[in-house]
């Protein structure tokens, strides 16, 4: 699970807070010590004023005049003819209607569910995602047929986008989107049973997510080459100005070798990189991506994403990749231990 900061989020400015901010602005402008929200306005407003040496009585009179001038200009910029806050698209002083944009801290997850074929599995999935407050979840090995969208009108409010094989019930990837994030989906592209794309509308720039399920280590190199070629094409089709996240089950062990630092961090569960890990690092380095799952220090239990049936082997094979310029938007990343709904 990764926790993403509110992308370009602004302060929720209701009517009461708007009155408070305006009152503080008008009270504090004579001494020019105001909040950063009004700093640009103040610099522009004060740029034309001269500052000659004047007597204290004259200075007090000028401050009063300046306050009245600033009050009139501020009302003209922020209030309409009825005396209410001026609402303009992209103005930044109001909050968009809930559900239109993603402007809050978001929990984005990746989960190999093994299968959703059995009756009741999808219901169990919705309960678990609600427990962990997962807003957007990339799913692998859904094992359904075909491609499509499933709208949920139950109390869980969890829509499912899936991309599976047309005949065989093998593999299959998709996204589960909960809550307000359901109304922010602007694009859904099912590619094949291993790749799909979801685009989310955010405040100042959108978020493009690629759900990936890479072949295992023992697969032939030709199968891996085809997968990474398709992944490169999918990544190249994303808008350049979007925040890009590539997440899923890559079946790749990433070490902490010094030669790869910058692309990977020092907090991986493993010390050496396997062949699938080399492919993943090469893909990331060629596109200025970072494997953000190796940049956060956590106990080993919060790094491991796969456990063998006998419990003896524990690996970190699920990863999240993002552009280096947007890596600071990821606040935390860790593995969650599932303690309920053992059927999944």
């Amino acid at each position: 699970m990764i926790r993403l900061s509110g992308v370009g989020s602004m302060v929720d400015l209701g009517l009461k807070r708007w009155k408070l901010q305006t009152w503080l602005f008008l009270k504090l402008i004579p001494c020019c010590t105001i909040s950063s929200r009004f700093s640009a306005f103040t610099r522009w407003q004060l740029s034309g004023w001269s500052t000659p040496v004047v007597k204290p009585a004259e200075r007090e009179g000028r401050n009063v005049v300046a306050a009245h001038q600033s009050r009139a200009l501020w009302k003209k910029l922020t209030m309409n003819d009825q005396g209410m806050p001026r609402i303009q698209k992209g103005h930044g002083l109001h909050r968009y209607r809930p559900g239109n944009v993603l402007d809050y801290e978001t929990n984005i997850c990746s989960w190999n569910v093994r299968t959703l074929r059995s009756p009741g599995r999808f219901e169990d999935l919705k309960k678990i995602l609600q427990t962990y407050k997962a807003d957007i979840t990339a799913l692998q090995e859904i094992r359904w047929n075909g491609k499509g969208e499933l709208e949920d009108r139950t109390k869980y409010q969890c829509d499912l986008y899936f991309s599976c094989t047309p005949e065989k019930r093998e593999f299959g990837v998709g996204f589960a989107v909960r809550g307000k994030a359901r109304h922010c989906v602007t694009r859904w592209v099912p590619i094949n049973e291993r790749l799909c794309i979801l685009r989310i509308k955010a405040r100042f720039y959108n978020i493009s997510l690629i759900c990936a399920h890479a072949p295992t280590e023992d697969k032939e190199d030709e199968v891996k080459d085809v997968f990474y070629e398709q992944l490169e094409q999918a990544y190249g089709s994303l808008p350049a100005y979007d925040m890009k996240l590539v997440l899923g089950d890559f079946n790749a062990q990433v070490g902490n070798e010094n030669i790869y630092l910058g692309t990977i961090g020092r907090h991986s569960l493993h010390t050496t990189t396997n062949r699938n890990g080399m492919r993943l690092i090469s893909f990331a380095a060629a596109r200025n991506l970072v494997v953000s799952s190796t940049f956060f220090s956590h106990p080993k239990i919060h790094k491991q994403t796969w456990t063998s049936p006998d419990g003896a082997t524990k690996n970190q094979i699920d990863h999240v990749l993002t552009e280096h310029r947007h890596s600071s938007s990821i606040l935390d990343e860790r593995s969650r231990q599932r303690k309920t709904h053992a059927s999944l």
Side-chain angles (χ1 to χ4, degrees):
M1 174 183 290
I2 64 175
R3 192 170 77 252
L4 200 67
S5 65
V7 181
S9 61
M10 305 297 293
V11 177
D12 184 8
L13 199 59
L15 183 58
K16 293 183 179 180
R17 185 172 296 181
W18 178 87
K19 290 182 178 179
L20 178 60
Q21 293 276 13
T22 307
W23 179 83
L24 289 176
F25 173 77
L26 297 177
K27 284 290 185 181
L28 297 179
I29 193 172
C31 57
C32 300
T33 56
I34 59 176
S35 63
S36 58
R37 174 176 289 277
F38 306 110
S39 59
F41 169 78
T42 306
R43 286 195 298 269
W44 171 75
Q45 178 65 18
L46 299 181
S47 60
W49 290 357
S50 60
T51 56
V53 179
V54 294
K55 297 180 180 180
E58 296 179 3
R59 184 182 298 112
E60 182 179 358
R62 291 192 177 187
N63 288 340
V64 174
V65 174
H68 284 289
Q69 292 177 348
S70 301
R71 181 183 293 107
L73 181 58
W74 176 249
K75 287 185 177 181
K76 181 179 179 181
L77 293 176
T78 61
M79 299 179 65
N80 56 23
D81 297 336
Q82 289 74 32
M84 297 299 292
R86 186 186 300 273
I87 304 299
Q88 297 178 357
K89 185 176 181 181
H91 193 268
L93 294 179
H94 71 285
R95 182 186 178 93
Y96 280 80
R97 293 181 59 186
N100 288 347
V101 294
L102 198 67
D103 59 352
Y104 52 89
E105 288 188 4
T106 308
N107 292 326
I108 301 179
C109 308
S110 175
W111 190 5
N112 189 324
V113 295
R114 305 289 179 87
T115 182
L116 292 180
R117 290 176 55 184
S118 302
R121 287 293 182 95
F122 185 43
E123 297 299 322
D124 290 341
L125 173 67
K126 291 189 289 187
K127 294 177 182 178
I128 296 175
L129 297 183
Q130 185 184 45
T131 301
Y132 288 115
K133 299 179 180 179
D135 299 300
I136 304 172
T137 306
L139 304 174
Q140 301 86 43
E141 292 198 54
I142 297 177
R143 298 182 186 270
W144 284 359
N145 286 340
K147 304 173 183 179
E149 308 170 9
L150 183 61
E151 182 180 3
D152 182 24
R153 297 188 178 183
T154 65
K155 63 178 181 179
Y156 299 107
Q157 298 182 351
C158 180
D159 295 344
L160 182 64
Y161 301 82
F162 59 94
S163 175
C164 305
T165 56
E167 298 179 356
K168 296 182 179 180
R169 294 190 174 183
E170 295 180 349
F171 308 114
V173 293
F175 285 95
V177 186
R178 290 184 58 255
K180 295 180 180 179
R182 298 186 307 156
H183 308 289
C184 303
V185 177
T186 60
R187 185 188 179 199
W188 154 246
V189 182
I191 300 176
N192 53 35
E193 70 276 8
R194 291 188 179 272
L195 292 170
C196 63
I197 299 174
L198 188 74
R199 194 179 189 210
I200 303 294
K201 183 176 180 59
R203 174 68 66 175
F204 291 116
Y205 46 81
N206 298 330
I207 307 174
S208 293
L209 302 99
I210 297 180
C211 177
H213 182 200
T216 56
E217 182 76 5
D218 57 351
K219 295 294 183 180
E220 298 179 354
D221 291 339
E222 291 77 8
V223 177
K224 299 179 183 179
D225 292 339
V226 171
F227 168 77
Y228 275 95
E229 288 177 1
Q230 295 174 343
L231 180 59
E232 291 174 0
Q233 294 176 0
Y235 186 84
S237 66
L238 303 180
Y241 46 84
D242 279 13
M243 178 181 180
K244 306 178 184 66
L245 291 175
V246 184
L247 69 166
D249 184 0
F250 289 93
N251 287 298
Q253 297 181 10
V254 176
N256 52 11
E257 296 91 341
N258 292 332
I259 190 174
Y260 303 128
L261 291 181
T263 303
I264 64 174
R266 297 181 179 273
H267 301 289
S268 177
L269 180 64
H270 307 285
T271 56
T272 58
T273 304
N274 63 1
R275 290 180 297 173
N276 276 0
M278 292 291 297
R279 289 178 178 267
L280 182 64
I281 293 175
S282 299
F283 170 80
R287 289 153 187 83
N288 197 25
L289 302 175
V290 296
V291 186
S292 61
S293 51
T294 61
F295 279 84
F296 297 92
S297 177
H298 288 295
K300 291 184 177 180
I301 192 174
H302 291 152
K303 295 179 180 179
Q304 61 197 29
T305 61
W306 179 85
T307 304
S308 60
D310 59 358
T313 306
K314 303 179 186 300
N315 293 325
Q316 184 183 18
I317 58 176
D318 295 63
H319 299 282
V320 178
L321 282 67
T322 185
E323 288 182 304
H324 189 275
R325 59 174 178 163
H326 290 139
S327 59
S328 60
S329 296
I330 299 180
L331 303 179
D332 191 21
E333 186 172 338
R334 58 186 292 180
S335 173
R336 295 285 188 177
Q337 301 301 311
R338 177 166 40 86
K339 297 182 180 180
T340 58
H341 307 284
S343 61
L344 279 175

